[in-house]
Amino acid sequence: MTVPIAIIGTGIAGLSAAQALHAAGHAVHLFDKSRGSGGRMSSKRSEAGALDMGAQYFTARDRRFVNVVNQWRANGFVAEWAPQLYNAHNGQLSPSPDEQVRWVGKPRMSAITRAMLGDLPVTFSCRISEVFRGEEHWHLIDSEGKSHGPFSHVVVATPAPQATTLLAAAPKLAGVVSGVKMEPTWAVALAFDIPLQTPLEGCFVRDSPIDWLARNRSKPERNESVDTWVLHATSQWSREHLDMSREEVIEHLHGAFAELIGCAMPAPAFSLAHRWLYARPAGAHEWGALSDADLGIYVCGDWCLSGRVEGAWLSGQEAARRLLEHLQ
């Protein structure tokens, strides 16, 4: 019987590792605390259609990732997004066109991780709380006390603060990972029955509680029946208002949006808020991935590299490469 490799987390990093290991002929089993794949690449279903509340778009610079994104586009679940971009500074809006190619999932961001997952075995709604090594193999315990295993190796592909608690069996790794700080982001969606009278489709914001805003319908194949906007608060504002109620967060960011947009803004027909506790790493690292090959435990995530979607994918590839190299 082949003992599979456990992968905790079905964001881009975990799925990237899973695909590479599967392609090399190894059995894998994925676990995720959520009901579906994606992590911060997931989309939230709502009465205004699917909303990208996490990653808004991504870029591709590394040749390996560029090749993969081109495959994704050929397979129809990724498209280029070329929004009318603006900067907002001191309350002034100014057009900010650039040459950067931006990619989004189609018809929603979560289409990417859904396609990456394919038919790989996965257990959703399963929060792994402990990872321990028996005499020969690894075992996982979930938050309800249920045991999963045996596994030959473990790949932890979660935000750093969650990874730290899963690395009790690898104290050296836990020590490194516990030093990684991640920043929160409050995200708010506002939907309007009558489209706002503005050409703006994406905006980088300064001097405001808002860091970024995007017009959802400007992305390929999005719901156009309502005019839905996604606002991301700055890390600092999110940190300072981490425990604020969702209603108050919506009210604050709606107010900041109204101040900034420079056109009449009716009350939204629909609104929702989502708190990303671990939205992005506070600093960049150049680890690629982390590993204790002798123990057989590997760690990957966007925080091991650039903090970007590309960094997450590359980190998963690196974790898989190290694991496969150790097996040779």
Side-chain angles (χ1 to χ4, degrees):
M1 178 184 111
T2 313
V3 180
I5 297 163
I7 300 174
I8 304 168
T10 62
I12 290 280
L15 289 168
S16 171
Q19 283 192 318
L21 293 168
H22 178 70
H26 295 276
V28 297
H29 193 107
L30 293 120
F31 295 87
D32 202 289
K33 63 182 173 52
S34 300
R35 285 176 305 191
S37 65
R40 285 157 288 165
M41 289 284 278
S42 59
S43 306
K44 210 167 180 62
R45 293 186 187 280
S46 78
E47 57 200 77
L51 301 171
D52 303 332
M53 295 297 280
Q56 294 293 293
Y57 62 84
F58 61 94
T59 57
R61 296 164 193 172
D62 184 283
R63 180 184 46 77
R64 293 164 293 172
F65 190 57
V66 169
N67 290 341
V68 164
V69 173
N70 283 329
Q71 282 171 21
W72 292 350
R73 178 173 60 175
N75 291 333
F77 52 85
V78 156
E80 199 175 320
W81 178 44
Q84 296 274 0
L85 277 180
Y86 282 70
N87 275 321
H89 185 36
N90 288 332
Q92 296 294 310
L93 283 171
S94 54
S96 177
D98 62 25
E99 299 300 308
Q100 180 68 64
V101 176
R102 293 175 173 83
W103 299 98
V104 293
K106 188 179 81 171
R108 62 185 74 89
M109 208 50 121
S110 57
I112 297 169
T113 55
R114 191 152 297 174
M116 289 176 77
L117 180 62
D119 296 327
L120 293 174
V122 61
T123 304
F124 286 123
S125 302
C126 180
R127 185 186 288 272
I128 301 300
S129 53
E130 192 185 338
V131 176
F132 72 94
R133 192 171 165 80
E135 278 185 23
E136 203 179 340
H137 295 120
W138 288 95
H139 297 267
L140 315 181
I141 306 285
D142 67 28
S143 55
E144 293 176 0
K146 190 176 168 209
S147 179
H148 305 266
F151 299 104
S152 61
H153 303 75
V154 176
V155 178
V156 178
T158 67
Q162 294 169 337
T164 304
T165 59
L166 298 175
L167 293 169
K172 276 190 297 194
L173 284 184
V176 175
V177 177
S178 66
V180 177
K181 299 283 176 281
M182 295 194 76
E183 298 280 18
T185 295
W186 269 112
V188 163
L190 303 171
F192 303 94
D193 287 332
I194 297 166
L196 300 184
Q197 297 303 301
T198 173
L200 189 150
E201 293 175 335
C203 187
F204 301 101
V205 187
R206 287 157 69 186
D207 312 311
S208 163
I210 297 172
D211 181 49
W212 160 262
L213 55 92
R215 194 171 211 158
N216 206 59
R217 69 196 298 178
S218 67
K219 295 180 178 179
E221 292 186 26
R222 295 323 196 254
N223 179 354
E224 293 191 17
S225 61
V226 285
D227 189 17
T228 310
W229 295 75
V230 174
L231 324 174
H232 278 184
T234 65
S235 297
Q236 184 181 341
W237 191 91
S238 301
R239 209 166 44 241
E240 289 168 0
H241 300 89
L242 204 57
D243 297 317
M244 190 180 249
S245 74
R246 282 175 162 70
E247 293 72 27
E248 286 179 291
V249 169
I250 289 167
E251 194 181 315
H252 270 265
L253 296 187
H254 179 213
F257 182 37
E259 261 177 52
L260 184 139
I261 197 85
C263 70
M265 184 175 292
F270 158 86
S271 61
L272 70 83
H274 183 82
R275 184 182 70 174
W276 298 101
L277 261 184
Y278 309 123
R280 57 170 75 96
H285 297 278
E286 292 299 324
W287 294 318
L290 296 166
S291 55
D292 189 324
D294 294 333
L295 278 176
I297 191 162
Y298 299 78
V299 190
C300 58
D302 63 344
W303 52 271
C304 287
L305 276 167
S306 59
R308 301 198 309 270
V309 171
E310 177 175 75
W313 185 86
L314 289 168
S315 180
Q317 293 291 300
E318 174 63 13
R321 187 193 66 76
R322 291 187 189 191
L323 195 161
L324 293 169
E325 195 174 65
H326 193 73
L327 287 175
Q328 284 176 0

